[in-house]
Amino acid sequence: MKALLHINGSPEWPASLDSAAWPMLPVGNRPLLEYWFELCVELGIEDVKIVLNDFALEVEAYAGEGARWGLNISYGFERDDAAPLDYLRRTPEHWEDGLLHIRGPLFPARTEAYCSELVKEKLSGAFISEAGARLVVLRDSAEVAAYLKEAALPALATESGIDPIVMAAAKDLFDINQSLVMGENSRYLTAGYQMTADNCSIGANTVIPPTVKINPPVMIGDNCRIGEMTTIGPGAVIGNHVVIDNKTTLDHCIVLDGSYIGQSMEIQKKIIARSHLYDVEVEMGMDMPDPWLLSSTKQVRKGAETARAVLGWIYALMSVAIMLIPYAVLRLMLLGNKHTAEQFKPVGINGKKLNLRVIALPEHPGRRVKLFYRLALDRFPYFLQVLAGKLWLCGHSVVLKDESGALEKELPIYFPAAISYEDIQPEASRSEAMSRANAFFYLESRSVVEDLRMFFRFLIYRLFILWTQ
Amino acid sequence: MDIKCEAKGNVGVVELSGALNAVVASQVSDQVETWFLAESHLVNLIIDMAAVESMDSSGLGALIGIMKKATDKSVSMKIAALQNKTRMVFVITRSYKIFDIYDTVDEALRNC
């Protein structure tokens, strides 16, 4: 048996989620496409043909050649307006051994009767919706021939444990996700995605401070950052690389990968797709491109790296101009008052060795040292290095390379910078594990907006928070 | 952004139209505050948002600023006729808890 997965055609509703690539929309924090692959595996299918048109890049980047699922995936292209069976009719002999044909945004939901053996033996027949979405399982050449002639086929045998649900609107996506997270269809949460006994699923490298309240059931993906005093759940499905700022409440909602949610927000019965918000109750989507409310944590433009460098340089220049006189005066006063300037030689951009002389922070800092640090004047030499092109303004901590070097080697790209996440965290919450999590998080979340946020939070932390906690 | 200010007895009605965002936020708050401070007889202020197509956090900040000034002068401020998009900003930021929000201007006038 072979599988033909038709994902050409663009239903209108994913546009309300600002996402044309509907096969990649998350169901229980996994792309819909992955459920199709699982069905192929359960039916013992190895050869899978994916027919696509738009969003080929996203699908191919995710599925590849299918080795992850033990499948042999190949790709074909077809126009969106082609009839559902046109592609099959090109080479009818190819499908003679049997066919699994899935087309359109359709979720192969499992019923209580589901077991993989039952699916393998009994799943057959055709489910075709009015809009043309279909799940058809044909076991022999006669059935395939009848299907190609558009003859009537028996209905899909739902006693096999598969009962397809067509997603005709964003609300259907929301309902399916809620059904999964609330445990109504617990059979999905097995392979690769387990719910623990407390109905919480939290991904790798996700940081949740102790002040966060989690009301199960919830699903949180990988590489997420949850702010202090946030309340999450019940019924929250949060994707990967999501940042939720302080004091925000989320329940009965879906947050797609790479979304940022601002401070003190209340997200209920909504789908958040980066800067896009979909209200499930009024079934309406809208753009809200505001970096303080909703935005993307991911880099979206090719020129973003250059923009980061330029913006960093401008901010460093402004900082140097403002700090020059206070730095000169306070440094002289401190050096004349038995404070010492220590030599520090971190590694900068492209492995360039830097030579920094920084005022050491004594164990019991006096008023002048505190003022020096509150005004962030200790960063003055770093900002000069940013102007010289040897450091980024915001990025990874320069001590990463100095201490062990191990983490820096693991990072695919290293951004030694004047300011890092470590600088905006209270000393008590700093640790090697946290540095590691932050370093990998920054690789994914780096953007002009994220750098701006980090820069201003650093200044606020130094001015108002340092030594007050 | 168009701003029309009109006094109906002791009620001031401010009709906003267009996008209430960072570009116009300070202009809106300055203009509205200047107007209702000059109209010293006003006891109530209604912001008619029927023609506001979109609003961001700066726009919300402008409204909060106006409300603060109004409260300082013992003027009661009400928001009326929110479109779905702008209503959503009030919902997700929880600011509906601090504003008096009415479905229509008439309803807001009845409650003055």
Side-chain angles (χ1 to χ4, degrees), chain A residues 20-192:
Chain A
W22 56 266
M24 305 305 293
L25 284 172
V27 179
N29 264 359
R30 288 193 287 159
L32 173 66
L33 193 59
E34 197 167 312
Y35 293 91
W36 293 8
F37 291 156
E38 278 183 5
L39 191 58
C40 294
V41 172
E42 282 168 350
L43 286 165
I45 296 170
E46 286 182 3
D47 289 330
V48 175
K49 175 75 102 181
I50 298 180
V51 177
L52 28 73
N53 190 357
D54 293 329
F55 40 84
L57 280 176
E58 290 100 315
V59 171
E60 286 198 49
Y62 177 73
E65 293 178 352
R68 189 175 148 197
W69 298 274
L71 300 173
N72 179 19
I73 296 176
S74 56
Y75 297 90
F77 290 89
E78 195 178 51
R79 287 161 59 115
D80 281 348
D81 55 1
L85 301 180
D86 282 358
Y87 195 87
L88 289 164
R89 285 178 183 138
R90 288 186 200 171
T91 50
E93 66 284 355
H94 188 71
W95 315 103
E96 278 178 350
D97 297 337
L99 167 71
L100 163 69
H101 187 195
I102 306 180
R103 185 186 168 98
L106 177 144
F107 178 59
R110 296 168 184 172
T111 64
E112 283 303 311
Y114 165 85
C115 86
S116 55
E117 286 303 312
L118 208 59
V119 170
K120 191 170 184 178
E121 287 168 18
K122 297 213 168 166
L123 185 66
S124 67
F127 169 87
I128 303 176
S129 76
E130 282 178 16
R134 61 190 64 203
L135 193 160
V136 179
V137 183
L138 306 168
R139 299 268 178 178
D140 56 45
S141 57
E143 282 181 336
V144 175
Y147 181 51
L148 293 182
K149 286 177 188 164
E150 295 188 45
L153 288 167
L156 196 75
T158 49
E159 63 269 22
S160 61
I162 298 290
D163 190 11
I165 300 172
V166 177
M167 290 193 268
K171 190 176 184 307
D172 296 327
L173 179 78
F174 180 84
D175 290 342
I176 292 171
N177 273 284
Q178 286 301 304
S179 160
L180 296 191
V181 75
M182 300 306 276
E184 289 162 24
N185 213 330
S186 57
R187 289 184 179 279
Y188 277 102
L189 308 167
T190 51

Side-chain angles (χ1 to χ4, degrees), chain A residues 247-249 263-268 270 272 277 279 282 284-290 292-294, chain B residues 21-22 54-60 83-97:
Chain A
K247 299 176 194 167
T248 287
T249 301
Q263 266 191 37
S264 302
M265 307 261 281
E266 187 176 64
I267 308 292
Q268 284 175 332
K270 308 273 186 300
I272 305 294
L277 179 142
D279 188 319
V282 293
M284 186 186 74
M286 68 196 75
D287 247 337
M288 209 173 275
D290 185 325
W292 304 104
L293 299 180
L294 304 175
Chain B
N21 54 27
S54 63
M55 185 172 81
D56 65 5
S57 56
S58 307
L60 186 62
Q83 286 191 20
N84 269 334
K85 278 190 177 181
T86 43
R87 187 181 56 81
M88 205 59 68
V89 177
F90 283 87
V91 171
I92 64 169
T93 55
R94 290 192 258 219
S95 41
Y96 63 90
K97 293 179 181 175

Side-chain angles (χ1 to χ4, degrees), chain A residues 429-451:
Chain A
S429 62
R430 289 179 204 167
S431 65
E432 200 180 315
M434 203 63 206
S435 297
R436 187 187 182 80
N438 284 333
F440 281 99
F441 178 75
Y442 184 76
L443 281 184
E444 285 296 327
S445 65
R446 69 183 192 276
S447 66
V448 170
V449 175
E450 184 62 17
D451 282 8

